[in-house]
């Protein structure tokens, strides 16, 4: 029942967004036909778009059930033995560009 309600709310939100988009298009074409400069979108259309976006976001967030926490796996223990062979002080770099000589 809850999923059906969330889907209905999502459809209503999408219809509100569709109506807001159509209204903006209609407003701009009307202003263009009157050859009047239009400076932005009317406030009621901005509010309608924000409401439609919030309704769609809410419906999508709650339509897929309970969120489940998935913990990460424990990190492996890294054992490092600092010996003469693995120390950075004993690094030798004369193997570089040996093929280019």
């Amino acid at each position: 029942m809850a999923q059906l309600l969330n889907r209905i709310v999502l459809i209503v939100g999408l219809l509100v967004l569709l109506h807001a988009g159509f209204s903006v298009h209609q407003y701009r074409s009307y202003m263009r036909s009157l050859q009047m400069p239009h400076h932005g979108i009317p406030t009621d259309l901005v509010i309608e778009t924000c409401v439609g976006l919030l309704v769609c976001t809410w419906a999508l967030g709650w339509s897929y059930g309970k969120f489940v926490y998935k913990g990460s796996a424990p990190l492996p223990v890294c054992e490092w033995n600092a010996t003469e062979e693995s120390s950075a002080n004993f690094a030798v770099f004369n193997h570089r560009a040996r093929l280019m000589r």
Side-chain angles (χ1 to χ4, degrees), residues 16-17 20 23-24 40-53:
V16 168
L17 282 176
S23 297
V24 168
I41 302 170
T43 308
D44 62 335
L45 295 178
V46 173
I47 292 172
E48 183 179 357
T49 304
C50 291
V51 167
L53 185 64

Side-chain angles (χ1 to χ4, degrees), residues 68-83:
V68 179
Y69 173 74
K70 294 192 176 195
S72 62
L75 296 174
V77 178
C78 181
E79 296 179 10
W80 180 263
N81 295 328
T83 61

Side-chain angles (χ1 to χ4, degrees), residues 51-71:
V51 167
L53 185 64
L54 288 174
V55 168
C56 287
T57 304
W58 180 84
L60 284 174
W62 290 103
S63 65
Y64 290 104
K66 185 179 177 183
F67 292 112
V68 179
Y69 173 74
K70 294 192 176 195

